[in-house]
Amino acid sequence: MQLLLKSIFTCALLVIFVYATAQSLLKVQESEARRAYLNGTSTSSSSSSSSNLSQDGHFLSRRLRQAMHGEEGEEGAPSQMEDDLNQLMKTNVDAPDKEELRRCSVGLVLPVWTPEFNISLGDRLIRGFVYFVLLIYLFVGVSIIADRFMAAIEAITSIERAVVVKGPNNVKQVMHVRIWNETVANLTLMALGSSAPEILLSVIEIYAKDFESGDLGPGTIVGSAAYNLFMIIAVCMIWIPAGEVRRIRHLRVFFVTALFSIFAYVWLWLILSVFTPGVILVWEAIVTLLFFPLTVLWAYIAERRMLVYKYMDKNYRVNKRGTVVAGEHDQVEMDAEKGPKHPMVTSARGTDAEAFDEARREYITVLTELRQKYPDADLEQLEMMAQEQVLARSSKSRAFYRIQATRKMVGSGNLMRKIQERAHSDLTEVKAQLHAGDDDEADDPIRMYFEPGHYTVMENCGEFEVRVVRRGDISTYASVEYETQDGTASAGTDFVGRKGLLSFPPGVDEQRFRIEVIDDDVFEEDECFYIRLFNPSEGVKLAVPMIATVMILDDDHAGIFAFTDSVFEITESVGKFELKVMRYSGARGTVIVPYWTENDTATDAKDYEEARGELIFENNESEKFIDLYILEESSYEKDVSFKVHIGEPRLAPDSTHYHDEMAAKIMEVEKKSVQDLTELDRILLLSKPRNGELTTAYVRIRESQEFKATVDKLVAKANVSAVLGTSSWKEQFKDALTVIPADESEFDNDDDAEEEVPSCFSYVSHFICLFWKVLFAFVPPTDICGGYVTFVVSIFVIGVITAIIGDAASYFGCALNIKDSVTAILFVALGTSIPDTFASMIAAKHDEGADNCIGNVTGSNAVNVFLGIGLAWTIAAVYHSSHGATFNVEPGTIGFAVALFCGEALIAIFLIMFRRWHKGIGAELGGPKVSKYISAAILVFLWVFYVVICILEAYDVIDV
């Protein structure tokens, strides 16, 4: 489809060239006929001459046709005509081409191709072709430098500021939000970036013509407006994938820009043809220019619901506290007819914080989808993939799509590659910041400590091993002493005391020693003792744990069962959590302990998987784990809990004969009264398996602090402007000299897709545009001064190339006898608008809304008139006023084109709104196949009709 559209545009340019050639042939034929008439047919009757000339030249001037045919039926008409022709012969006998083949005015930059007169038809065709090719190449160049300009604008409008806001729990949080309002940026810098050639052409033409009016600048602006409104929207309507629609999100802003885009041309018609016909006064020009800030201000007021807008079109919803409040901002505006997709939360933090929260929710949603798609991938890999997709899916400006379209056309590839590189670098930088403290340990002195710091052993284990490690520099010799210390367990009775020296030769990072435990047959409570490190060698520092705790579990009875703690706090990303159940005060025999989970604020099947079963403690086994599976929601602020219970333990049926006898004795003792129990009976009851105090544990599920910090930092870095910008001249020259394949899938991630190689078209485009690429690589990178230096240099270069375009377009029309107004409306406007066409197509396919396709078209049309024509005419009007003269502008074709465009623009706006509110369509772009093709056909017809009528009027074929 995209190749078909490219072919259509190429054919359109060829048709234009053929048309221009035909015009030249007709004009030359007319000139030869005039010369023959003046030299050889002066004695013929005036009526015969008139008939012959009128047949040979259909595009003679209106004044000449009136002179030849006469407008009155008087007898004196023929003689008057003869007088006029005689006068014409006297003035043109030496240079007949001067009247019919207009003299080329000297350009501002390009010199005139001489000689201008008495040249053959072949020379004119060659000149026309050369100027035609030059114009196309200049259009490519101005498109490439305009993209550097747009990258600078994106960098400027993406400048962020840090704001401190309070979260739901009154926790202060630092957020980075953009300084520039989106609507203001679109109507000022973005509109200037996409329309800079048209605006500068209008201003430069005024200067080039000594502050007199011209047709090229205003004609380009009017022609570009018609093409943008009709053709671009028509292409975007049918470019939407089948079954999808795109709706305008900022509907109030669209109404404002649409109103001003039509009013702009009504205003032009008024000052050209009504107020002071043919004269532009200073106040008219200044008011035209002042309408530009008024448009921006009104659109901003509408977008922010200020002044009267806060009383209009109210939508209501229920906030987090259950209070009904007025709905605000884009989501409610876009989905007012359909109902909101997601619940919105009222907050006093303002739209900037809400936008940050929305971006964070988007990141979490993407991460959840990736976890489901790649369950075996690690978190860091998923975070990088999520950042990549968030950058690709994030709302993009007009600048992004404009640059994307141009780079695809000139063989500079797709921005998706830069997005992938940026996502990887973002994650690497964030992880480095979070773990910055971990790398500082290498600079610490040599450290020694126990690993682990706690040991649990059975009374009958005999010996167990203790491990001491050394961290830091292990290239030197080091030593440390150790000794045991009594706790509730005593040396000589419960364990064998020990003291010694541990030596660490160079290259050795750990040492071990053994401690002996004394076993007896007397039931007793669990006991513990300690081992401490002391007296390290020089340069060695003792670290925690420098004291190890050893717990001796009695193995003479069945034991007591309990959790190690009452509350366990885990992160939702843990996956499987092993909850420990301890057995102490005995470990003899096989014991069965039942367990089960219970909902609290967490819900099974949503936050965790329900668990129910039995733990079997084998003989001398002191700990078991309950496997709990936590379900990940990727919730940013999660704090829920559930309970885990253990039931009454019991001896296993297949226990040893010893335990069968002990169980029988216990049953006998339990039948006795408390007063009759002897000390031996009490010890026997203690040997029965039973629960301890902690039989219920709360498992609290919270978000990972590292994950939370990672999300915040990645969302703050999710700025697409960094993808568009450059950081060094080296990077710019590398990009200029490299051919990168254009990924036709745009942002669609196909993991199975093979690595693409540049196509033949990419190589051809690259080498054709290599001169422009290398030349513009000298423009300063956008990282210098926040893009402002790039902005200034780029707009200067655009001005120079636009001046050359103006000269070439004027010479092109002069060589082939095409009027400047026709060249501007049909050719220059088309050449400057083709990059915007492909940018809008990409935006239509990948944006959620239609603002970058429709809203920016109407906004740019209004800005072009108010800023482009307003600024140029203000300069000229002030100049002439200061010299005591008036600034004269002949309405001519421009006035007619303006009036015609206003009428057709109303039809187009009505069609767009009809599609939005029609139940069977419900959107401005896309929708049912038949309806979108019919709508597109109507818009295409409006453009073709507009162009044809303007051309016919320009050549006086029709009289208006």
Side-chain angles (χ1 to χ4, degrees):
M1 185 65 181
Q2 189 170 353
L3 181 60
L4 175 62
L5 290 173
K6 290 179 181 178
S7 302
I8 291 174
F9 284 118
T10 303
C11 292
L13 293 176
L14 291 176
V15 169
I16 293 170
F17 181 73
V18 171
Y19 171 81
T21 305
Q23 281 294 106
S24 178
L25 290 171
L26 287 173
K27 188 64 68 175
V28 171
Q29 183 180 1
E30 177 187 326
S31 178
E32 294 296 332
R34 173 62 58 80
R35 184 181 298 108
Y37 173 79
L38 293 176
N39 293 334
T41 61
S42 58
T43 59
S44 302
S45 63
S46 61
S47 61
S48 174
S49 299
S50 174
S51 174
N52 291 335
L53 284 173
S54 63
Q55 291 174 2
D56 290 337
H58 292 287
F59 294 100
L60 295 177
S61 67
R62 184 184 292 118
R63 180 174 178 270
L64 183 58
R65 291 202 306 268
Q66 291 173 354
M68 293 171 60
H69 291 284
E71 296 183 358
E72 300 179 2
E74 302 176 0
E75 292 185 1
S79 62
Q80 179 65 37
M81 180 193 70
E82 290 179 358
D83 293 340
D84 290 341
L85 290 177
N86 290 333
Q87 182 67 26
L88 184 64
M89 183 176 62
K90 291 179 182 179
T91 56
N92 291 321
V93 65
D94 296 327
D97 283 348
K98 287 187 180 180
E99 177 69 20
E100 293 301 324
L101 304 179
R102 63 187 175 91
R103 182 182 181 89
C104 298
S105 59
V106 179
L108 186 63
V109 180
L110 285 182
V112 177
W113 191 338
T114 57
E116 296 186 58
F117 305 107
N118 300 320
I119 58 177
S120 66
L121 176 62
D123 286 340
R124 291 189 178 278
L125 292 177
I126 292 174
R127 292 186 183 192
F129 180 77
V130 170
Y131 285 128
F132 178 80
V133 174
L134 176 61
L135 276 173
I136 293 178
Y137 200 62
L138 288 171
F139 287 145
V140 173
V142 79
S143 178
I144 295 174
I145 187 59
D147 291 342
R148 301 282 298 127
F149 185 49
M150 296 289 275
I153 292 174
E154 181 72 11
I156 292 172
T157 57
S158 299
I159 296 175
E160 298 177 337
R161 59 187 174 90
V163 295
V164 179
V165 298
K166 290 185 178 180
N169 299 322
N170 289 328
V171 177
K172 290 186 178 180
Q173 185 177 3
V174 178
M175 294 183 179
H176 295 272
V177 297
R178 292 193 176 188
I179 296 176
W180 280 78
N181 175 267
E182 181 183 1
T183 298
V184 174
N186 284 339
L187 290 177
T188 53
L189 295 182
M190 291 297 178
L192 178 62
S194 62
S195 304
E198 295 97 318
I199 295 173
L200 291 176
L201 181 61
S202 178
V203 176
I204 291 172
E205 186 184 33
I206 288 291
Y207 175 78
K209 291 183 175 294
D210 295 327
F211 300 97
E212 297 295 340
S213 65
D215 291 332
L216 202 59
T220 300
I221 289 177
V222 177
S224 177
Y227 180 86
N228 292 346
L229 184 60
F230 302 136
M231 290 300 294
I232 289 182
I233 295 179
V235 171
C236 291
M237 278 185 182
I238 62 177
W239 191 248
I240 303 298
E244 297 184 15
V245 295
R246 301 290 186 270
R247 293 166 57 84
I248 296 175
R249 297 168 63 95
H250 299 267
L251 189 58
R252 295 186 304 275
V253 176
F254 169 74
F255 284 146
V256 173
T257 56
L259 173 64
F260 273 97
S261 67
I262 296 176
F263 171 75
Y265 294 94
V266 172
W267 174 256
L268 276 186
W269 174 75
L270 289 175
I271 62 177
L272 281 172
S273 304
V274 178
F275 294 159
T276 52
V279 177
I280 299 297
L281 301 179
V282 174
W283 74 266
E284 292 175 333
I286 293 178
V287 169
T288 304
L289 182 60
L290 290 179
F291 277 131
F292 167 63
L294 178 62
T295 303
V296 176
L297 178 61
W298 197 337
Y300 176 76
I301 291 173
E303 191 265 337
R304 303 291 292 187
R305 281 189 176 271
M306 300 167 66
L307 302 180
V308 297
Y309 286 97
K310 64 182 179 180
Y311 302 108
M312 301 168 58
D313 190 26
K314 284 290 187 178
N315 296 284
Y316 296 92
R317 58 186 170 81
V318 179
N319 68 5
K320 194 172 182 180
R321 298 182 179 180
T323 305
V324 177
V325 295
E328 296 179 341
H329 311 302
D330 301 339
Q331 187 68 33
V332 174
E333 179 181 349
M334 183 178 66
D335 297 325
E337 296 89 346
K338 302 183 297 182
K341 293 181 180 179
H342 307 288
M344 296 179 62
V345 178
T346 297
S347 173
R349 297 179 291 173
T351 56
D352 292 336
E354 290 177 4
F356 187 89
D357 290 341
E358 180 63 28
R360 190 163 50 195
R361 287 193 293 269
E362 172 70 12
Y363 181 90
I364 297 298
T365 301
V366 172
L367 191 61
T368 302
E369 295 172 356
L370 290 173
R371 276 205 176 95
Q372 295 173 353
K373 188 175 182 180
Y374 306 102
D376 298 330
D378 57 49
L379 179 60
E380 184 169 336
Q381 182 180 3
L382 293 176
E383 287 173 340
M384 186 185 70
M385 295 169 65
Q387 179 71 353
E388 178 183 324
Q389 291 197 22
V390 166
L391 283 171
R393 295 182 185 181
S394 61
S395 178
K396 299 175 182 64
S397 65
R398 182 77 175 180
F400 182 90
Y401 294 116
R402 171 66 184 263
I403 295 174
Q404 172 75 349
T406 302
R407 291 191 180 182
K408 286 171 68 68
M409 289 191 294
V410 301
S412 293
N414 196 292
L415 292 175
M416 189 60 194
R417 294 175 179 271
K418 281 201 169 186
I419 287 180
Q420 293 172 344
E421 296 172 0
R422 174 64 194 276
H424 185 270
S425 64
D426 281 351
L427 185 63
T428 302
E429 182 179 346
V430 166
K431 293 296 183 182
Q433 292 175 358
L434 294 177
H435 299 289
D438 298 342
D439 299 331
D440 297 336
E441 294 181 356
D443 300 330
D444 291 342
I446 302 172
R447 294 167 290 111
M448 291 185 181
Y449 53 88
F450 288 105
E451 190 178 76
H454 186 91
Y455 295 86
T456 300
V457 298
M458 299 302 300
E459 190 180 50
N460 60 354
C461 70
E463 290 183 340
F464 69 95
E465 194 173 63
V466 180
R467 180 169 174 257
V468 179
V469 298
R470 174 172 66 160
R471 295 292 180 260
D473 184 10
I474 62 173
S475 62
T476 60
Y477 177 86
S479 64
V480 67
E481 294 185 54
Y482 70 91
E483 67 175 357
T484 59
Q485 291 182 341
D486 289 351
T488 54
S490 302
T493 304
D494 300 302
F495 67 94
V496 177
R498 188 169 179 180
K499 181 178 181 180
L501 175 69
L502 296 177
S503 299
F504 292 80
V508 176
D509 62 354
E510 71 173 48
Q511 289 289 4
R512 306 187 181 202
F513 60 93
R514 304 185 69 83
I515 300 292
E516 181 182 353
V517 178
I518 300 174
D519 189 17
D520 57 41
D521 293 331
V522 179
F523 172 76
E524 54 191 350
E525 296 287 345
D526 295 339
E527 299 171 319
C528 66
F529 66 96
Y530 307 100
I531 310 171
R532 75 180 184 94
L533 298 177
F534 66 99
N535 195 23
S537 58
E538 184 178 356
V540 176
K541 177 182 178 181
L542 296 180
V544 177
M546 64 183 70
I547 297 178
T549 302
V550 182
M551 179 69 70
I552 302 176
L553 301 182
D554 184 77
D555 64 343
D556 296 319
H557 298 287
I560 300 174
F561 300 86
F563 292 112
T564 57
D565 203 348
S566 59
V567 178
F568 296 87
E569 187 171 305
I570 60 175
T571 60
E572 63 171 352
S573 60
V574 70
K576 184 178 79 170
F577 173 63
E578 295 181 339
L579 180 61
K580 183 187 291 187
V581 179
M582 289 295 301
R583 180 186 193 183
Y584 57 93
S585 295
R588 181 169 294 181
T590 303
V591 179
I592 300 174
V593 181
Y595 67 88
W596 65 94
T597 58
E598 179 185 353
N599 290 343
D600 190 31
T601 54
T603 306
D604 62 278
K606 178 178 180 294
D607 300 303
Y608 70 98
E609 291 184 6
E610 182 183 12
R612 185 178 296 272
E614 294 179 335
L615 298 175
I616 300 178
F617 287 79
E618 300 293 342
N619 186 42
N620 288 335
E621 194 171 17
S622 60
E623 60 183 35
K624 277 287 189 180
F625 296 92
I626 301 174
D627 291 338
L628 301 173
Y629 293 92
I630 308 302
L631 302 179
E632 178 126 26
E633 287 186 302
S634 296
S635 176
Y636 178 77
E637 293 181 343
K638 187 171 189 176
D639 189 0
V640 294
S641 62
F642 64 96
K643 303 175 185 177
V644 183
H645 305 278
I646 56 173
E648 194 67 29
R650 66 183 188 276
L651 291 171
D654 57 347
S655 185
T656 61
H657 176 69
Y658 168 80
H659 280 87
D660 290 339
E661 292 181 353
M662 186 175 66
K665 293 179 179 179
I666 291 174
M667 292 180 62
E668 292 180 2
V669 172
E670 286 178 341
K671 295 177 181 178
K672 297 181 180 180
S673 62
V674 179
Q675 294 82 3
D676 297 335
L677 292 177
T678 62
E679 186 63 26
L680 185 59
D681 291 338
R682 290 189 178 91
I683 294 176
L684 189 60
L685 288 176
L686 290 175
S687 67
K688 175 185 175 181
R690 55 191 174 88
N691 281 332
E693 295 181 0
L694 300 177
T695 58
T696 298
Y698 285 84
V699 180
R700 186 180 183 186
I701 306 174
R702 301 199 65 180
E703 77 283 349
S704 168
Q705 291 301 317
E706 180 177 341
F707 172 73
K708 184 176 180 180
T710 301
V711 171
D712 284 345
K713 291 181 179 294
L714 288 178
V715 170
K717 286 179 171 291
N719 191 339
V720 184
S721 63
V723 177
L724 304 180
T726 51
S727 57
S728 65
W729 272 285
K730 178 182 178 181
E731 179 185 354
Q732 292 182 172
F733 279 101
K734 180 181 177 182
D735 291 341
L737 297 173
T738 305
V739 183
I740 304 175
D743 183 10
E744 296 299 331
S745 62
E746 304 292 345
F747 302 112
D748 300 333
N749 293 324
D750 187 1
D751 301 308
D752 299 327
E754 297 181 359
E755 183 71 18
E756 295 193 19
V757 295
S759 64
C760 180
F761 176 79
S762 297
Y763 278 107
V764 172
S765 301
H766 170 73
F767 286 111
I768 290 176
C769 305
L770 185 60
F771 168 75
W772 294 122
K773 290 183 177 181
V774 174
L775 178 63
F776 299 146
F778 287 97
V779 175
T782 55
D783 279 7
I784 298 178
C785 298
Y788 287 99
V789 177
T790 311
F791 179 91
V792 174
V793 174
S794 297
I795 200 169
F796 172 77
V797 176
I798 291 174
V800 173
I801 299 178
T802 302
I804 302 175
I805 289 177
D807 292 347
S810 179
Y811 294 158
F812 171 78
C814 180
L816 299 179
N817 278 315
I818 301 176
K819 289 190 175 183
D820 280 349
S821 59
V822 176
T823 302
I825 291 176
L826 186 60
F827 186 71
V828 182
L830 184 63
T832 56
S833 298
I834 286 179
D836 286 327
T837 303
F838 291 106
S840 296
M841 290 163 56
I842 298 174
K845 185 176 180 181
H846 297 287
D847 263 6
E848 293 183 358
D851 299 77
N852 275 324
C853 306
I854 300 178
N856 282 349
V857 165
T858 56
S860 295
N861 287 351
V863 171
N864 286 356
V865 173
F866 296 142
L867 186 58
I869 296 181
L871 180 60
W873 285 1
T874 298
I875 294 172
V878 171
Y879 174 84
H880 285 286
S881 177
S882 65
H883 288 76
T886 58
F887 176 48
N888 300 319
V889 179
E890 182 65 29
T893 302
I894 298 300
F896 173 76
V898 165
L900 179 61
F901 173 77
C902 288
E904 292 192 353
L906 288 173
I907 297 175
I909 298 299
F910 174 78
L911 176 63
I912 292 172
M913 289 297 96
F914 172 79
R915 287 177 53 83
R916 180 184 180 91
W917 287 313
H918 189 277
K919 294 183 179 179
I921 304 175
E924 292 83 358
L925 303 180
K929 186 175 182 179
V930 175
S931 65
K932 70 180 181 181
Y933 275 96
I934 292 176
S935 301
I938 293 174
L939 293 175
V940 172
F941 171 78
L942 291 175
W943 182 70
V944 173
F945 181 79
Y946 167 83
V947 170
V948 171
I949 296 299
C950 286
I951 293 175
L952 295 177
E953 193 279 336
Y955 287 103
D956 299 324
V957 176
I958 60 174
D959 186 14
V960 294

